[in-house]
Amino acid sequence: MDTNIISIKNLNISYTSSVMSVKNVSADIRQNQITAIMGPSGCGKSTLLRALNRMHSLYKNITVTGQILLENQNILEMPDIAVRRKIGMVFQQPNPFPTMSIAENVMAGYTLSGIRTNRQRRAEIIETTLKSVGLWDEVKDVLTKRGTFLSGGQQQRLCIARALALKPKVLLMDEPTSALDPIATARIEELLLQLKNEVTIVIVTHNMGQARRIASRSMFMYLGELIEYDETERLFTSPSHQQTKAYLAGHFG
């Protein structure tokens, strides 16, 4: 039986009193599935994604109303740091912390949260997490080198490892392969299909082929509204809305 891990209820997000970026969105995110959010530039998909781990609280001018329930707890009423330990985030550009080594990057969430670990536990977390993203064999002999020394695809996998090290329940990804070449992209997609057994994944993507390859369910957003949300294959083969059909046919985007 499919279980919902996140329930979004009547979510509205505005940058100014006159500009509503996300309008009255309600949706349930299924546990241990990959959910894709698609739509043309400026449709609100990244704004919606960032609300799911309270990124908007970093900016005073952004207003968020409605509810986002993580296992029935409203994250909009929880401390930011508690939310971000349960809901990790990976961005478009690979962004290892430039002054940190590969090992320190993996442990950054612990360091920034003030969580102490002994040397043995730290070594276990680093090895297990890097293995989970298929990076351990490539970097085990250079753990003290800076993360920026790695290739773009390796850096993105290191960023995924950094997000996974705290064992979040949900992993948010904002166009995580758009800066990568096709080979690195294929490796990340393969990795995500493996990781969904451990963590629920929500991915914003411009790449319709990617959504179709890896997502169980997909949302189509347009002008801040959630137009359609369904099983990915059904959305692509028999969309219910004319706007979805036009977008998938490449008429705008």
Side-chain angles (χ1 to χ4, degrees):
M1 186 177 127
D2 291 319
T3 306
N4 297 327
I5 188 167
I6 290 179
S7 289
I8 303 164
K9 296 178 187 289
N10 308 117
L11 189 70
N12 292 282
I13 304 170
S14 56
Y15 289 88
T16 68
S17 56
S18 58
V19 180
M20 192 73 78
S21 299
V22 169
K23 303 171 190 171
N24 202 33
V25 167
S26 295
D28 291 326
I29 308 290
R30 301 259 175 90
Q31 190 165 8
N32 294 111
Q33 289 190 2
I34 299 174
T35 299
I37 307 175
M38 299 182 298
S41 296
C43 71
K45 55 190 185 294
S46 288
T47 301
L48 172 62
L49 188 81
R50 287 166 183 241
L52 300 182
N53 81 337
R54 296 286 300 273
M55 289 293 289
H56 298 313
S57 65
L58 298 170
Y59 307 96
K60 290 193 164 42
N61 59 317
I62 300 178
T63 304
V64 181
T65 62
Q67 291 186 315
I68 302 170
L69 304 179
L70 173 68
E71 296 180 324
N72 295 319
Q73 263 192 301
N74 188 1
I75 69 164
L76 301 180
E77 296 171 353
M78 291 165 63
D80 293 356
I81 197 160
V83 173
R84 291 183 198 132
R85 281 180 62 180
K86 293 182 175 188
I87 303 178
M89 182 97 179
V90 175
F91 297 93
Q92 188 169 355
Q93 293 289 339
N95 62 342
F97 295 128
T99 60
M100 291 186 181
S101 69
I102 292 167
E104 287 167 341
N105 262 283
V106 176
M107 295 302 293
Y110 288 81
T111 308
L112 296 171
S113 303
I115 302 167
R116 296 192 165 187
T117 54
N118 62 35
R119 188 176 293 180
Q120 184 186 344
R121 177 73 184 123
R122 174 187 155 90
E124 282 171 9
I125 293 166
I126 291 167
E127 181 173 346
T128 305
T129 310
L130 289 172
K131 278 181 174 171
S132 76
V133 299
L135 203 52
W136 175 250
D137 288 337
E138 296 166 43
V139 303
K140 62 185 179 187
D141 298 323
V142 289
L143 290 173
T144 56
K145 284 204 172 185
R146 292 192 174 178
T148 47
F149 141 87
L150 301 170
S151 71
Q154 288 174 319
Q155 286 187 34
Q156 194 63 303
R157 281 188 283 148
L158 178 60
C159 293
I160 295 169
R162 184 176 68 197
L164 291 175
L166 282 168
K167 297 207 173 300
K169 293 176 182 292
V170 180
L171 184 62
L172 309 176
M173 312 190 88
D174 195 354
E175 302 262 11
T177 61
S178 63
L180 304 180
D181 62 63
I183 292 169
T185 295
R187 286 203 72 175
I188 297 283
E189 288 182 6
E190 194 180 312
L191 170 63
L192 299 185
L193 287 168
Q194 293 166 2
L195 287 175
K196 71 176 183 179
N197 297 314
E198 302 165 34
V199 64
T200 301
I201 297 168
V202 185
I203 180 172
V204 160
T205 181
H206 258 108
N207 183 332
M208 288 185 266
Q210 181 172 73
R212 198 165 185 177
R213 284 190 298 271
I214 67 171
S216 303
R217 291 168 68 76
S218 292
M219 299 183 189
F220 169 64
M221 292 188 70
Y222 185 62
L223 299 178
E225 295 181 7
L226 178 56
I227 304 297
E228 193 162 351
Y229 181 29
D230 208 335
E231 289 176 12
T232 299
E233 201 50 37
R234 190 177 301 148
L235 190 84
F236 275 88
T237 53
S238 52
S240 306
H241 293 261
Q242 196 55 44
Q243 285 164 322
T244 315
K245 205 174 285 187
Y247 177 72
L248 294 174
H251 295 320
F252 65 94

